[in-house]
Amino acid sequence: AMWCAPCLAEKPVMEKIAEEFKDRNDIVFVGVSVDGLNRREIWKNFVKKNGFTSIELLSNATESIQKYYKIEGIPRFLIFDREGKIISVDAPRPSNPGFKKMLDAALAAN
């Protein structure tokens, strides 16, 4: 969310990690903002202004991914395997070395 200081602190780290994997076609980084669909234009300008390079999606806080995975607080980092199976719906933050280790392990599987 645009107002979430911890989310915004992790975003540059996530962007850097995504850059490390840019030549791979078996990993995708997706950001999901819960700022609400009624703030679409403000959010779009925020994403553009900040130069985010990953796929960025917008939802309402009580819908979609947040509701489905019972996410009650943000930031939250989720990792799925190549087939969409859950590896973690509460992965470490990208600034934690455990995050990249989890990604590397997921990519090494199969």
Side-chain angles (χ1 to χ4, degrees):
M2 294 181 289
W3 49 265
C4 173
C7 300
L8 299 176
E10 291 294 329
K11 191 65 177 171
V13 180
M14 178 67 86
E15 293 272 324
K16 185 178 180 200
I17 292 171
E19 179 67 19
E20 292 176 30
F21 291 99
K22 71 178 182 182
D23 294 330
R24 295 188 69 138
N25 63 2
D26 59 347
I27 186 169
V28 177
F29 292 84
V30 179
V32 180
S33 172
V34 294
D35 281 302
L37 300 177
N38 62 331
R39 302 192 70 202
R40 180 174 310 183
E41 290 307 312
I42 296 166
W43 172 82
K44 282 167 81 173
N45 290 332
F46 180 82
V47 169
K48 184 177 180 180
K49 179 182 128 191
N50 285 284
F52 297 157
T53 58
S54 57
I55 297 167
E56 299 295 327
L57 304 175
L58 178 65
S59 76
N60 290 318
T62 58
E63 295 178 356
S64 67
I65 196 167
Q66 198 162 359
K67 183 177 181 182
Y68 186 81
Y69 292 106
K70 297 175 177 65
I71 297 170
E72 295 180 9
I74 57 173
R76 179 67 70 92
F77 298 91
L78 297 81
I79 299 177
F80 301 86
D81 71 10
R82 289 178 182 90
E83 289 158 24
K85 293 179 185 162
I86 298 168
I87 293 174
S88 177
V89 293
D90 196 13
R93 292 181 181 190
S95 59
N96 178 322
F99 179 82
K100 190 150 183 307
K101 287 179 186 175
M102 197 175 277
L103 287 181
D104 290 336
L107 291 167
N110 293 346

